[in-house]
Amino acid sequence: MKRIFTILLSALLGSALSAQAASLEVVATTPDLGSIAMSIGGDKVHVTSLARGTEDPHFVDAKPSFARILNKADVLIEGGAELEIGWLPPLVDNARNRKIARGGEGRVDASEGVALLDIPAGKVDRSQGDVHAGGNPHYLLDPDNGKIVAKHLAAHFSKVDPANAAVYSKNLGVFEMALDAKAKEWSGLLQAHQGAKVVTYHKSFEYFAHHFGFVVVGQIESKPGIEPSPTYINSLIPKMKEASVKLVIVEPNRSKKTSEYVATSIGVPVVYLPILVGGNDEATDYIKLIDSNVRSVAKALK
Amino acid sequence: MLSVLCGQAYAQSNPANNPPSVEQLQKQLQQMQEEFRKQQELQRQQIQSLEQQLQQLKQSQTTITQEQQAIKQQTTAAPTNNADKTGDPIMDKPWRITDPIRVSKGAAFMDIGLVGTLAAGGSTANDLDDLQIGGHDPNQRGFTLQGLEANFSGAVDTYFRGNANVLFAIDGEGETFVELEEAWLESIALPGNFQIRAGQYLTEFGRINTQHPHSWSFVDAPLVSARFLGSDGLRNPGARLSWLAPTPWYTELFLGLQNSQGSTATGFRSDGGHSHGGEGAEGIPFSFRHADNNRGIKGFDDLLITPRLATSFNLTDNQTLLLGVSGAFGPNANGGGGENTRTEIFGADLTWKWRPENHSGGFPFVQFQTEAMMRKYGTGSFDWDEDADGLLADEDGDGNPDAGQLFDPATGLPAILAAEKLTDYGLYSQLSYGFRKGWVAGLRFDYVTGDVASYQTMGLLEPDGTGGFNGVFDKYRATRYRISPNLTWYPTEFSKIRLQYNYDDRTDFGIDHSVWLQFQFVLGAHAAHKF
């Protein structure tokens, strides 16, 4: 009897201890932010990502279950730059959690400290399409920005959970080293294609192109968020040919028919690159996402 | 695993075979203390370093924005007025139309949005006011400005956020009118997962009642909500407490207390209905009885009580189900003879949504939404011989008794109605299919009906005011159904164009066909999409 009691007690203690091991409940709006949070937090954090890697992060369904997830969160990491403006605010309102309310100690805007591209200058209005006044929010496809976000998260985790600061700092070092090692490999793979001209479907790959030295000469979309008309596409194709575009880059959830029509008409390959972790089978974490994208591009340009 | 743990526990509970000396223990303790101090120092340094990095990052960003601003200012021909500078980088940034309109004094901000909705179309029905019973339904042949809705919202302070919806519309006579749809404040973070909302608000009853018309999937209000909850929805000043249950799935409990009188408390102590719209307009008094129960608020019983329970499950990663049950209980305006007559409305709702994992811009999707309601309306007893002269009233003095009163043809005397409970039912079901980016096809089915009541089976007659007589027919409780297919195109998320056909079948009125084309535009802040 006593023995059984001891077994039960140690089992209970064991589970209590393992539950205690993750001291921070972290919610990331997208799985790429979630992946970096896992790398930095290790076993000291429990990470939940709201959006799935395959979906359009601008139009995530505001499932009621998210309110409950946010209700329990110690930290909420958002991409910022209006990425989640269409679905996150009412969920946070209903979460009734002071920690993750705007300005709360657990609220992290991952775009802080990142030099955002495409910040519109001059007069801007909605006739120009869905222009993000704060800049282009797809900054994580530049691994240098991944590093900035990782540093930011390590600093933030240490602030809300000082007891594990050493762990976060150590994990940051490991993450940076892994990224640096890969960065050499990546520049080796893409060295030969510096300055290659590409056309993308949406302005999702500006940072990727910026980092790896590609020149984005245009989009298949006529304006941000506006699907192209056949007339527009037919006017685009000769321009792309003239500019000697080498590659068409498209997110996996865009119209394959339109993308392939454009690519075939220009006579160049098309690659489907996920923009989030989990966007394809290979992109299981942040470094693998960039790795998968780099390899796809290198293979297509060979 | 368990036996290992157990073994450890056993080992710890037994003193070691060779007890260490005091010196050994002291030395060990000193070593550990030294180790601990070192660790602490290391961590402190690490935190400082990380904090510095964070600070640098933030500074570098501020520098970038400042540089950008400087460049922008250089390139802008218009001189900048330094007197307008607030020192706040957000406020000093030049405003662009994609920014929420922000009105600031000190640290207070407000988002402002405008939604304009316009409809055009026609119908075979000549009584469009009775056909289109929603307060903002298109209700005349030709053009209807369904509404221009202004929304103001923002954080009030660290404790509350505020919201106001003011609606401007033009009625059938061309008169512009203004409605204060909502004006409330809500707690940001109360302990215990509670939230309080107070002010004028749309009662938390089902799905459609809390949504503003611009977010509906159809041109007009469902029949059941317009008939039972009012042409403009059930809304009144009051307070609502909600609790987010600590269950693994989403469960929220609401309890609302609102005034039960006023024109937007249809079905309760509304004294003559809302000033525009159809059925609801003079939908009270119900069933040929006067409504004059304006007794003010004397006790808890005189308030409108509205509980709701909502729960949601993710059936799969792509499918979400939301279920709810709602109630609205309060006194009604029918107990003219001093009786405490009450109305009870019960509702059940179900929303199911499918959206695949690889959607683009939210498309494709399928959404099914249905709400069923039952209303029990207690009427007071009533003697149509109000002046006790044994005759029907003839106020216009044309020698014919006035319309709208009842008499018993067997005796020729004004009718005496007993108190009774009238039961009505209704539901709507709607399916929306976003079949390609920006395009949504919809189909809605509406049905409302009422149980036959004793005042309808007594063989009473109603004078038509010109010497003729009609049987008792209560169009506000009569059976009616409607089928509405529609097609919506969203050029962007800020505009939409919708074409809808309504097939209406009303008891005693017959079949009508209507076609409506609706346009909508959003300016300024666009509220995020709720589930």
Side-chain angles (χ1 to χ4, degrees), chain A residues 52 54-56 59 61-63 65 68 71 86 93-94 96 98 112 120 124-126 158 166 227 253, chain B residues 46 58 96-97 161 193 195 242 246-247 252 314 317-318 353 355 357-359 361 437 524 529 531:
Chain A
R52 288 167 293 167
T54 47
E55 69 183 331
D56 185 338
F59 294 90
D61 231 347
K63 294 178 186 168
S65 56
R68 181 68 189 119
N71 174 248
D93 283 354
N94 201 24
R96 42 202 95 178
R98 198 174 276 284
E112 258 178 41
V124 171
D125 69 21
R126 282 182 186 155
S158 306
E227 289 301 320
N253 52 4
Chain B
Q46 279 164 334
K58 283 186 174 162
R96 285 163 297 200
I97 202 155
R161 61 181 148 261
N193 283 352
Q195 191 170 66
S242 100
T247 44
E252 193 170 355
N314 297 326
D317 278 351
N318 298 337
K353 201 188 277 182
R355 182 161 280 155
E357 64 282 352
N358 59 348
H359 68 81
K437 198 167 181 178
H529 301 276
F531 182 76

Side-chain angles (χ1 to χ4, degrees), chain B residues 63-288:
Chain B
T63 327
I64 292 165
T65 7
Q66 279 169 351
E67 277 167 14
Q68 282 164 345
Q69 219 170 293
I71 293 164
K72 215 173 284 167
Q73 278 169 1
Q74 281 163 12
T75 50
T76 312
T80 46
N81 186 354
N82 281 321
D84 289 345
K85 295 280 170 208
T86 62
D88 178 335
I90 297 169
M91 291 312 299
D92 288 347
K93 199 176 81 170
W95 180 81
R96 285 163 297 200
I97 202 155
T98 46
D99 293 342
I101 302 164
R102 299 196 131 158
V103 179
S104 163
K105 191 186 174 195
F109 297 92
M110 175 162 73
D111 286 348
I112 301 177
L114 276 179
V115 184
T117 313
L118 175 78
S123 170
T124 57
N126 290 317
D127 57 338
L128 270 171
D129 262 358
D130 269 343
L131 187 81
Q132 296 293 117
I133 61 175
H136 299 285
D137 290 356
N139 55 13
Q140 57 187 343
R141 291 180 188 148
F143 294 88
T144 306
L145 184 80
Q146 291 182 263
L148 177 69
E149 194 182 312
N151 175 260
F152 309 88
S153 65
V156 176
D157 51 26
T158 53
Y159 305 104
F160 302 104
R161 61 181 148 261
N163 183 80
N165 275 68
V166 183
L167 192 133
F168 304 85
I170 301 172
D171 66 14
E173 278 75 51
E175 289 293 316
T176 299
F177 60 93
V178 179
E179 269 173 13
L180 187 59
E181 290 213 309
E182 294 203 88
W184 46 257
L185 63 90
E186 188 173 71
S187 64
I188 288 176
L190 280 185
N193 283 352
F194 285 104
Q195 191 170 66
I196 285 181
R197 178 183 287 190
Q200 161 91 348
Y201 65 93
L202 286 160
T203 305
E204 198 76 39
F205 189 105
R207 294 281 287 163
I208 222 88
N209 195 64
T210 52
Q211 293 167 356
H212 290 274
H214 73 259
S215 53
W216 294 349
S217 304
F218 290 79
V219 165
D220 37 23
L223 295 178
V224 63
S225 56
R227 195 181 261 196
F228 293 2
L229 303 174
S231 59
D232 257 6
L234 189 57
R235 55 188 163 88
N236 245 356
R240 185 192 87 182
L241 181 70
S242 100
W243 180 58
L244 191 64
T247 44
W249 60 90
Y250 163 86
T251 306
E252 193 170 355
L253 261 168
F254 302 89
L255 184 64
L257 266 186
Q258 283 168 297
N259 287 347
S260 64
Q261 76 275 31
S263 64
T264 53
T266 308
F268 296 93
R269 291 195 300 144
S270 165
D271 50 1
H274 203 52
S275 58
H276 62 278
E279 264 187 28
E282 67 274 34
I284 288 174
F286 280 88
S287 315
F288 306 95

Side-chain angles (χ1 to χ4, degrees), chain A residues 36-37 40 108 110 112-113 143-159 168-169 171-173 175-176 179-180, chain B residues 46 49-57:
Chain A
I36 298 176
I40 302 307
V108 185
E112 258 178 41
D144 287 346
N145 290 337
K147 223 190 240 184
I148 293 175
V149 170
K151 269 198 190 113
H152 189 173
L153 293 188
H156 206 97
F157 288 173
S158 306
K159 211 168 110 190
Y168 301 135
S169 165
N171 290 348
L172 175 62
F175 179 79
E176 284 177 329
L179 203 57
D180 287 342
Chain B
Q46 279 164 334
S49 139
L50 284 166
E51 270 173 353
Q52 273 173 2
Q53 285 175 4
L54 184 67
Q55 203 53 42
Q56 279 165 0
L57 279 172

